[in-house]
Amino acid sequence: MVGLQEAEEFISMLKQHKSEYEHVKQSIYSLYTFLFPLFTQLDVVEIFIKHIGDLIELAIENYEIPDTVSQYFTTAVEINLQAGNGAEAARFSKKYLAYARSLANKDKVLLDAFKIFIEFREGVSRVEYALAVEEYMQLAEKVNTKYSPEYIDALFNSAYIDFSYGKDVIAYKKCLDGYEIAEQVYGSEINIKCTHLLGLMIQIKSMNKQFEESRALIEKLKGIEKKLTSIHSEQYKRIALLEQDLNEKEA
C-alpha cells in the first residue's frame, strides 16, 4: 500500500508541473496500467477516482485497444457508483458513449456503452434518453438479433418511456413482446428480465384501473420471484410496494 501511495503522490506532483507531465506521459500511462489492478482491488477508491479520468484520456491518446478503454470506462462508472457519486458515474457513461461513437469498428463497444448509458440518465433530457434507447434497441438487434438480453433491456426501457408519455397500449404491447422473447432466450419465464417486464405491466394495468388483471400479474410475479430468490429477498419486497400501490388506487 505504501508503494501505491508513493506512486499516487509522484503522479500528483508531476501534474503540478505540466511541462514535465507532458514529457513523461507515456511513462505515466505505463505506471497507471501497472497500478490499475491495485486501484480496483484495494480500498483506495478515493485515489482511483482522483486519477481514473487521466488514465482514460491517456489510454485514448496512446491508441489503446477499445476493449481496454471500455474496461476503464466501465470501472470508472462502477467505482463512482459505489462511492455514491451518481453524477460522476453519469458523466463517465456519457463520455464512454461519445468514445464508442468515435470508433471505426464500433458496434460491439457501442452496444456496451449504450447498456451503461441507459442505466444512468442523470442530467439527460427525456428526448435524448428516448433517442438513445431507440438506437440501443436497433443496435442490439443488428449485433445480437432480437433474441438477446440487450434487446430485451432496450425494449423494456422503450416501453417505460412510452408509459411515461401515456402511450399505455404501445407500452404494454412492447412488454408482451419482451416477455415472449425473454421466455425463448432463457428457456422459461423464470428469469430477471420477465420480472422487470411484469413489474411494468402491473403498473400499466393498475394505472388504467384494471385491478383484477393487475392482481393476477402480481401473483404471477410472486411465483417467479419465489423460484428465483425467496420471499425474504429485496426483489420480493418490491412486489409488496406494487401491491400497496394497487390497493391505494383501488380504494
Side-chain angles (χ1 to χ4, degrees):
M1 180 67 76
V2 173
L4 178 61
Q5 290 174 339
E6 289 175 346
E8 193 273 334
E9 290 173 2
F10 173 65
I11 293 171
S12 297
M13 179 192 70
L14 283 173
K15 286 181 181 178
Q16 295 176 11
H17 303 279
K18 191 169 180 61
S19 59
E20 287 89 342
Y21 181 72
E22 291 289 327
H23 183 67
V24 294
K25 266 188 176 182
Q26 184 61 50
S27 298
I28 294 297
Y29 179 59
S30 298
L31 180 57
Y32 271 139
T33 56
F34 174 75
L35 294 174
F36 184 74
L38 298 177
F39 282 146
T40 56
Q41 292 176 18
L42 300 175
D43 187 21
V44 288
V45 173
E46 289 185 5
I47 294 177
F48 180 85
I49 289 174
K50 184 176 179 181
H51 293 281
I52 185 60
D54 290 332
L55 169 58
I56 290 171
E57 287 182 11
L58 288 173
I60 294 172
E61 283 184 21
N62 281 276
Y63 301 101
E64 185 60 87
I65 60 173
D67 283 351
T68 299
V69 179
S70 296
Q71 180 189 7
Y72 294 159
F73 270 118
T74 302
T75 306
V77 172
E78 292 172 350
I79 295 295
N80 273 286
L81 282 177
Q82 290 174 21
N85 301 328
E88 275 297 285
R91 186 175 72 84
F92 275 112
S93 74
K94 290 179 185 178
K95 291 186 71 172
Y96 184 19
L97 187 59
Y99 163 74
R101 289 185 187 280
S102 72
L103 298 174
N105 300 310
K106 59 188 176 184
D107 284 356
K108 181 176 176 293
V109 176
L110 187 57
L111 190 65
D112 184 64
F114 268 123
K115 185 177 181 179
I116 292 175
F117 178 79
I118 65 172
E119 292 181 24
F120 312 107
R121 57 177 300 178
E122 187 170 338
V124 179
S125 71
R126 291 176 70 181
V127 172
E128 181 184 358
Y129 185 74
L131 290 173
V133 168
E134 185 64 28
E135 189 175 350
Y136 177 46
M137 187 159 58
Q138 292 174 3
L139 185 64
E141 182 177 3
K142 175 185 175 183
V143 176
N144 295 330
T145 78
K146 285 185 177 181
Y147 296 93
S148 65
E150 292 82 8
Y151 185 83
I152 299 167
D153 284 340
L155 195 57
F156 168 81
N157 281 279
S158 181
Y160 191 85
I161 291 168
D162 286 332
F163 176 53
S164 70
Y165 279 110
K167 301 176 182 178
D168 298 346
V169 175
I170 296 173
Y172 199 82
K173 176 65 167 58
K174 287 180 178 178
C175 286
L176 289 175
D177 290 345
Y179 199 92
E180 182 180 337
I181 293 171
E183 284 184 302
Q184 294 190 48
V185 169
Y186 295 100
S188 78
E189 64 183 3
I190 312 303
N191 62 79
I192 194 68
K193 306 297 185 188
C194 280
T195 65
H196 290 165
L197 290 158
L198 274 175
L200 182 53
M201 291 160 72
I202 290 166
Q203 290 182 62
I204 294 170
K205 289 292 185 183
S206 178
M207 185 65 69
N208 286 282
K209 302 188 183 301
Q210 296 172 298
F211 301 125
E212 286 189 19
E213 293 180 45
S214 187
R215 288 196 185 282
L217 290 173
I218 285 176
E219 292 306 313
K220 188 173 187 177
L221 180 55
K222 283 181 179 179
I224 294 175
E225 282 292 359
K226 283 179 183 177
K227 293 176 183 177
L228 276 177
T229 54
S230 76
I231 60 173
H232 304 293
S233 69
E234 288 301 315
Q235 293 95 319
Y236 197 86
K237 289 175 183 176
R238 286 202 291 270
I239 300 175
L241 297 176
L242 288 170
E243 213 162 8
Q244 180 182 337
D245 179 66
L246 173 60
N247 290 332
E248 290 173 355
K249 284 185 171 66
E250 196 174 15

